[in-house]
Amino acid sequence: MVARKTLIFFTNSDFGQANVVLSTAYELLRQNKHNIHIASWAPLQPRLEKLSQQAQDENPSESIPPITYHNLASFPGFIEFAKKNGNRKKADIPHPPGSRGAERISMLAVRFLSAWGPEAHLALLNWAADLTKELDPALVVVDPHLVPIHDMARKLKRKYAVLSPCTLAEGLLSEQPWLAAYWKYPAFATGFPYPLPWSYMLENYYTKRTIENAAYDPKVKEINDARRAQGLHEPLGSFTPWVKDVPHICPSLPEIDLPLEWPSNVHNCGPIMLPSTPIEENDPDLLAWLEKRPTVLMALGTHFEAYAATVREQAVGLRVLLDARPDIQVLWKLKPEESSEGDGKETLNTILGDELESGRVRIESWLKPDPVAILRSGHVVCAIHHGGANSYFEATWAGIPQVILSMWYDTFDYATRIEHLGIGVYGNRDAGRNCVVDNENYQAPLMVDGQEFGDALLRTVGRVKGDQKADAMSKRAAELGEVCRNSGGRTKAAKIITDLCFE
């Protein structure tokens, strides 16, 4: 009998980032060949316990050791780190795309990296190193956004792999032949079309260079000086999203990404999805509602908190759709920004009052079923989301046309993808590029225009039932969904990790 192997995942606890880890861990539990450890923040612990129990319940004839949880907050200095970074307002993360947002993105990148500071960076690195030495795992699996853990794996010269919730395209653009990153591919967070129109080349170059300048900020230099004193001379992990000779596992596929030359150490598994409980089991009331009409699902991610002005424009866009298509209903997962929640509710009642009263528009602060279960219910004709990687891969896997209201970072890049692939519409391109920004007293700008959003919805679902262009988009989305569901996903990711453990 082959001896069990120990492996450890280090991951953030945000659902959008952790889902690929949970999905892969679930498949590894089912294999029952590993002792699995996961180090993360406290919010993930209940999900790990539930996942372990689920795997055991599904395989009652076997004894499956549960996942062992380790709290990242155990590193020395965590309390000071938490105090320093505890007052971040999610509602003010959004920024414009392209050159108008480039300096803001660069500043946010510096803030992200310097959030650790030299002391916390090295403290987490050393804590993780002690844990890794104690467990002596066959493989360390790293979240690309936990920068100190990259350094730990490099310093200890452990066998490690990167499991990413995102496409690796951004890290590979500079590796493409003929300097294509400068003239062929849209730069990070521009939302420009692919291939890049010549008229955007100068702005594309400016945006790319401005964001890259974050690497030379004094706060980042301070961290690098501390790293070099520890013998770490490689660039920080966030500035090297692709590393030669390190296995990278990601949820993309060539069929659902930009055309690229992919290195052999990049393993595109297709969307890495958790199994979802059928909607009829955990929310039969919602299923009964979904069965009434074709449904548009709007869910803008766990980080998005909408100011009242944004809620108003979103409601106006839905009003355009509902007036043109009386056969359609809307399910809206809405998390308003706290200080403007009252104004947002008043606006909703003004614009969508009749539909809210009749139940044709249903607003929920949280959805009990997994989004994938709703998307695959057979009743959803369009998914509206913010362009987060997790939302993009879920909707693409489900084969549903998409409208993306991009708000920050790579959400603009996924808007580029859906239009390039012919499976959706970038719903706030003009509003995002033309928004008013007050850099002195920064507040998230208004980046949605109701009419533009409404037109995007009608292009996606059709101005009338049977609209040929909308039907072609739906067919294309369904075809790519089939490709995704046959790609391997979590099973393929788990096999790659198992092979690395046992080689």
Side-chain angles (χ1 to χ4, degrees):
M1 185 176 182
V2 179
R4 300 175 68 87
K5 296 288 186 179
T6 295
L7 66 98
I8 183 165
F9 295 83
F10 290 89
T11 181
N12 277 308
S13 56
D14 293 347
F15 282 19
Q17 292 182 31
N19 275 349
V20 291
V21 171
L22 295 174
S23 304
T24 305
Y26 167 80
E27 199 63 35
L28 292 167
L29 283 168
R30 286 164 51 85
Q31 289 182 8
N32 203 11
K33 297 178 181 178
H34 309 81
N35 298 319
I36 303 171
H37 296 253
I38 295 182
S40 186
W41 308 108
L44 197 64
Q45 185 175 9
R47 296 188 75 193
L48 299 180
E49 294 170 354
K50 182 179 178 181
L51 196 68
S52 296
Q53 190 60 54
Q54 179 181 349
Q56 183 62 75
D57 291 345
E58 291 172 351
N59 299 274
S61 62
E62 297 184 54
S63 176
I64 301 178
I67 296 168
T68 302
Y69 167 72
H70 303 272
N71 192 345
L72 285 178
S74 301
F75 75 86
F78 168 74
I79 293 176
E80 290 76 11
F81 166 77
K83 287 179 180 177
K84 179 182 175 184
N85 296 284
N87 192 28
R88 308 262 169 143
K89 194 171 183 179
K90 292 181 180 179
D92 286 334
I93 296 175
H95 57 77
S99 59
R100 297 188 66 237
E103 291 187 6
R104 177 81 181 168
I105 300 167
S106 181
M107 181 273 289
L108 291 171
V110 170
R111 181 187 293 176
F112 167 74
L113 291 167
S114 62
W116 292 98
E119 296 81 11
H121 185 102
L122 295 178
L124 179 57
L125 185 160
N126 291 327
W127 177 87
D130 289 343
L131 176 62
T132 301
K133 290 174 185 176
E134 177 186 342
L135 296 176
D136 191 25
L139 183 70
V140 176
V141 184
V142 176
D143 178 330
H145 300 101
L146 272 177
V147 181
I149 306 302
H150 284 264
D151 280 351
M152 180 276 293
R154 291 165 171 170
K155 183 176 182 180
L156 294 186
K157 294 181 169 51
R158 303 294 309 201
K159 183 195 292 185
Y160 81 101
V162 177
L163 177 55
S164 175
C166 312
T167 172
L168 286 181
E170 172 59 26
L172 295 172
L173 294 187
S174 61
E175 304 298 318
Q176 301 306 299
W178 304 105
L179 298 176
Y182 292 97
W183 57 268
K184 185 177 182 180
Y185 292 97
F188 178 74
T190 61
F192 291 156
Y194 173 88
L196 183 70
W198 287 90
S199 59
Y200 288 125
M201 279 189 62
L202 287 177
E203 183 178 352
N204 199 63
Y205 177 80
Y206 171 82
T207 304
K208 178 177 171 63
R209 296 301 301 166
T210 300
I211 295 172
E212 289 172 348
N213 283 341
Y216 306 104
D217 187 271
K219 292 180 180 178
V220 177
K221 182 180 182 299
E222 187 180 4
I223 295 173
N224 279 327
D225 288 345
R227 294 171 67 245
R228 278 190 284 272
Q230 299 288 318
L232 294 162
H233 299 282
E234 299 90 346
L236 279 166
S238 285
F239 293 113
T240 54
W242 172 75
V243 181
K244 186 179 179 181
D245 299 328
V246 174
H248 290 264
I249 304 165
C250 85
S252 194
L253 289 169
E255 293 89 342
I256 61 171
D257 217 315
L258 300 181
L260 293 164
E261 293 187 11
W262 298 92
S264 59
N265 67 323
V266 175
H267 303 278
N268 285 310
C269 299
I272 301 171
M273 315 290 293
L274 275 165
S276 57
T277 304
I279 192 171
E280 58 267 22
E281 293 184 20
N282 61 9
D283 200 340
D285 173 70
L286 179 58
L287 177 59
W289 180 85
L290 288 169
E291 290 171 339
K292 292 180 179 179
R293 292 184 180 94
T295 301
V296 168
L297 170 64
M298 182 154 74
L300 298 179
T302 54
H303 287 296
F304 183 72
E305 296 178 354
Y307 283 108
T310 299
V311 172
R312 181 189 66 242
E313 295 302 321
Q314 291 169 344
V316 169
L318 295 178
R319 177 80 269 160
V320 171
L321 168 70
L322 294 167
D323 286 346
R325 292 293 303 269
D327 58 316
I328 283 178
Q329 61 185 9
V330 174
L331 174 60
W332 186 355
K333 177 178 173 284
L334 174 61
K335 186 177 182 181
E337 190 276 329
E338 188 175 357
S339 67
S340 63
E341 184 174 1
D343 293 339
K345 286 182 178 178
E346 184 175 339
T347 297
L348 288 173
N349 288 328
T350 301
I351 299 172
L352 299 173
D354 291 344
E355 285 75 17
L356 288 167
E357 187 174 346
S358 68
R360 189 178 166 204
V361 173
R362 180 166 173 163
I363 297 178
E364 304 284 355
S365 60
W366 188 254
L367 298 171
K368 286 192 285 185
D370 291 331
V372 169
I374 299 173
L375 291 169
R376 287 292 290 164
S377 67
H379 304 294
V380 176
V381 294
C382 173
I384 307 164
H385 59 88
H386 66 307
N390 194 58
S391 299
Y392 168 75
F393 287 120
E394 285 179 344
T396 305
W397 181 90
I400 304 297
Q402 305 168 49
V403 171
I404 290 182
L405 298 176
S406 298
M407 295 291 162
W408 55 72
Y409 305 132
D410 59 346
T411 63
F412 303 103
D413 304 336
Y414 289 102
T416 294
R417 279 168 178 74
I418 62 169
E419 293 207 330
H420 170 68
L421 296 169
I423 60 172
V425 179
Y426 183 177
N428 64 328
R429 174 184 278 111
D430 292 343
R433 287 186 62 76
N434 298 318
C435 65
V436 177
V437 178
D438 180 358
N439 285 314
E440 296 298 320
N441 300 289
Y442 194 86
Q443 184 180 72
L446 176 59
M447 293 172 57
V448 180
D449 173 77
Q451 189 61 52
E452 181 187 15
F453 175 37
D455 288 344
L457 287 170
L458 292 180
R459 285 174 58 194
T460 306
V461 303
R463 296 181 182 277
V464 295
K465 191 174 183 180
D467 182 295
Q468 290 186 354
K469 290 184 178 180
D471 286 351
M473 185 182 293
S474 180
K475 181 181 178 182
R476 175 64 173 154
E479 291 170 349
L480 287 180
E482 189 72 19
V483 170
C484 289
R485 293 190 295 277
N486 291 329
S487 63
R490 68 172 184 267
T491 303
K492 185 173 180 180
K495 183 181 185 305
I496 292 166
I497 287 174
T498 296
D499 290 347
L500 289 169
C501 284
F502 283 91
E503 70 179 10

